[in-house]
Structures are given as C-alpha cells and as structure tokens.
Amino acid sequence: MKILHVTNRLTEGGVETYLLNLLPALVSAGYEVDLMVLDKNQVALAENFKVKNIRVIVGNYSSVYNPLNILLLIKIIGGYDLIHSHLFPTQYFLAFANLFHRKKLVTTEHCTTNKRRRSLFKPLEYIVYSLYHSIVGVSKASSSNIIKWLPSIKSKVLTILNGIDIKNSLCNDSVTRQDLGLSEEKFLIVMTARFFDQKDHDTLIRALSYLPLNMQVVFIGSGVRLENCQLLAKQLNVAERCLFLGRRSDVTAIIKLADLCVLSTHYEGLPISVIEYMAAGKPVIATNVDGVDEMINSQCLVNKKDAQDLAAKILLLEQDKALCHKLAQENLVKAQEYDLATMNQGYISLYEKLSSI
C-alpha cells in the first residue's frame, strides 16, 4: 500500500514528533510512505524525516491557507492508495481535492477542540468530515468531543492514543546541569512546548513571581511568541530565573535533570510532552484541559491562566517530597499506556481494514 501523509508544516511540536515516530514504523511494516508539507517556508525538520527514508514533498505556496493547495493536492494524491491528513486547513483541502479521486481518506484530530466549533462552521465541518473514511482521536476526549460536535459521524471515529518509544527515549546522551549553566541547588522546573498561541508559557512565567528564589524554569522550544515571553520575564523581574534554550535535539536528556515538569496550555489533544515527562519518571503539573485530565493525577491539574494556582501546586510538590516521589512513580507506570508500538499497531490495523473495503 502506498500512503501519503499531509500536514501544514514541519517546524517543531507534537504533530511533528508524532509523525517522526509513526512514519518510519510504517515503512518498517512494509508500506511505501511519503510526507507532504503544504507551507513551503516551514520545513525546518524535513531532514529529520529524510534520514529515516521518508520522502518529503514540499508545497508550492508560502501560506498554508492558500486555496491553490487544493489544485496541488489534486495533482499529487492520484498516485497513492490512502491519504492521511493532519490539522486545519489541510484536512479541508484534502477532503475537497479527493472529490476528483475518491481515494481512502483518514484524518487525525490532534486537539480536543478548535475555534471552528465556536463559530458557524458546523455545516461545512459536517461536509468535510463526511468525506473521510475514518477520523482518529489521539485521546478519549478528542474522539468524544468531535462526536458531540458532529454526532452523525460517530461510526467513523476511533481512538488511537498518542505514543512514544518509551524504552529508547530514555537512552539519550546525558546532559548535566553544569552543561547548561544551572545550579545543583536550584529546584528545577522544565517545560517543553513550542512558543505559539496554543501554549500558555505566560502563566508559568507569572507563577515564578509567587515562588521562592530557589526555583528556576527551563523552557525548551522556539516559535513566534518566544520574544514576548522573554520580555514578560524581564517585566516581572524573573528573567534571571528563566532559561530559554530554544529548539533542542536532547530534550529527554534535559527532562531528566528536572525536579518537576510543567505543561501550561490553553488546549490539547494528548500532549507528547507530558508522555515524555511521565516516561522519565517525573512529577507533572499541567493545565486542567480535555486530554490532559485523562493522563495525570487530579492533584496536579491547575486552572487555566491561574498563575497563583500553578505556583501553589508547584510549592506543594517542592515541599512534600513523599508526595512528589509518589506522583513520579505513578507517572512512570501510567506512561506504559502510551507506548509507541501500541500506537503504530493501531494505525496499521486501521489501514489494513480500509484497504480491504
């Protein structure tokens, strides 16, 4: 079977990590797999796929929202048996392009909600999703929420939990605090997330204002909001306690240095960063949003945009070592539910089922 995955961009983030985990496994299983990126200017991670023998097809346009992408997809998808889309507007463009081909279509819902569900898009959403043969939710909440939004497509929706290669993810080269210029005496908090509107770095930065001086935060990731967050840290006089590392290839090695990991966010699907935290045996605090709430202990969920609540939860774990250890061990066990092999087999089973129809 020849499969094409199509997405908006290849920069950094959960979708890119998901694809980098899934696509090589599909190749190993005997599928011919290519990856298409619609935004020609957002392909920084293309080489990461090429070295894993994934051909990357780059689009013609500098805006992923250019409707001419539909015509481009019409030209491309004819050579494939199954096409799998990720993210809006790629989901829309592929659905319309396939009206000229009638190929098997799959899309993955990487979040539990979107802005379109708070607007008048419902008739268009119904048309688009009806054109897909299968819609995959990366968490229970992703699946249940789309069924609530469009009950008529319930029969097409299934859940395949996001996963990582838990065993190998813990074998990265080691990094020391000294390598990063960090003190061994500090209580170290790590957050890995791209700096864009979905993530809420601001609340963690604000939380530092309520926390003792022995606490320091390491931010891993780049993106359009990085400079805004750096400025906020300066305005709140916590810049010296924030280390912005940008994009890194040794993320899991840095996570191992943490005393505590945080994901402050506005919405999610099933975040790979939290799986990485858990697999490293770290206590995790995260925003109480759909998808995340099914992953970690309720004691560790905080209110949206509530810096004081976040600070209080962090301080609790810093002071209660026994609770901190207990939560870390729970996370280590829970992480096994999100193993990459299970995720990969889920998609392989789905593709085989669709190929027989």
Side-chain angles (χ1 to χ4, degrees), residues 299-319:
Q299 290 178 274
C300 299
L301 295 171
V302 299
N303 300 324
K304 279 187 179 182
K305 300 182 182 180
D306 191 337
Q308 288 182 287
D309 188 30
L310 177 54
K313 292 291 198 312
I314 291 172
L315 195 58
L316 172 65
L317 294 193
E318 190 266 344
Q319 294 177 342

Side-chain angles (χ1 to χ4, degrees), residues 186-202:
K186 298 289 187 181
F187 185 85
L188 189 61
I189 301 164
V190 170
M191 176 168 165
T192 66
R194 185 156 55 101
F195 285 82
F196 73 129
D197 290 341
Q198 178 186 344
K199 308 300 182 181
D200 184 20
H201 299 80
D202 301 49

Side-chain angles (χ1 to χ4, degrees), residues 154-204:
K154 180 178 180 180
S155 62
K156 297 185 176 185
V157 178
L158 74 156
T159 303
I160 301 176
L161 298 178
N162 271 348
I164 65 169
D165 189 344
I166 292 173
K167 183 178 179 180
N168 289 332
S169 72
L170 302 179
C171 299
N172 286 20
D173 294 336
S174 62
V175 175
T176 67
R177 291 195 180 194
Q178 186 177 5
D179 293 334
L180 301 176
L182 299 170
S183 169
E184 295 291 341
E185 287 73 37
K186 298 289 187 181
F187 185 85
L188 189 61
I189 301 164
V190 170
M191 176 168 165
T192 66
R194 185 156 55 101
F195 285 82
F196 73 129
D197 290 341
Q198 178 186 344
K199 308 300 182 181
D200 184 20
H201 299 80
D202 301 49
T203 295
L204 179 52

Side-chain angles (χ1 to χ4, degrees), residues 129-248:
Y129 285 107
S130 295
L131 294 172
Y132 280 89
H133 295 84
S134 187
I135 298 117
V136 179
V138 299
S139 65
K140 296 174 184 175
S142 294
S143 298
S144 63
N145 285 354
I146 195 169
I147 290 170
K148 289 177 185 176
W149 172 236
L150 298 172
S152 59
I153 66 167
K154 180 178 180 180
S155 62
K156 297 185 176 185
V157 178
L158 74 156
T159 303
I160 301 176
L161 298 178
N162 271 348
I164 65 169
D165 189 344
I166 292 173
K167 183 178 179 180
N168 289 332
S169 72
L170 302 179
C171 299
N172 286 20
D173 294 336
S174 62
V175 175
T176 67
R177 291 195 180 194
Q178 186 177 5
D179 293 334
L180 301 176
L182 299 170
S183 169
E184 295 291 341
E185 287 73 37
K186 298 289 187 181
F187 185 85
L188 189 61
I189 301 164
V190 170
M191 176 168 165
T192 66
R194 185 156 55 101
F195 285 82
F196 73 129
D197 290 341
Q198 178 186 344
K199 308 300 182 181
D200 184 20
H201 299 80
D202 301 49
T203 295
L204 179 52
I205 295 169
R206 294 182 191 280
L208 269 181
S209 301
Y210 302 102
L211 290 167
L213 296 177
N214 70 313
M215 295 196 177
Q216 188 166 11
V217 178
V218 171
F219 292 102
I220 305 173
S222 62
V224 295
R225 295 201 67 253
L226 175 57
E227 291 185 4
N228 290 357
C229 291
Q230 290 172 323
L231 179 60
L232 177 62
K234 290 179 181 177
Q235 291 171 341
L236 296 175
N237 296 316
V238 296
E240 292 184 358
R241 298 162 62 196
C242 295
L243 180 60
F244 296 91
L245 293 180
R247 184 184 302 155
R248 301 281 299 205

Side-chain angles (χ1 to χ4, degrees), residues 2 4 33-36 49-50 53-57 80:
K2 192 172 183 182
L4 177 68
V33 182
D34 293 336
L35 174 61
M36 184 174 182
F49 289 85
K50 292 176 183 177
N53 298 317
I54 306 297
R55 184 167 75 106
V56 177
I57 303 167
Y80 296 88

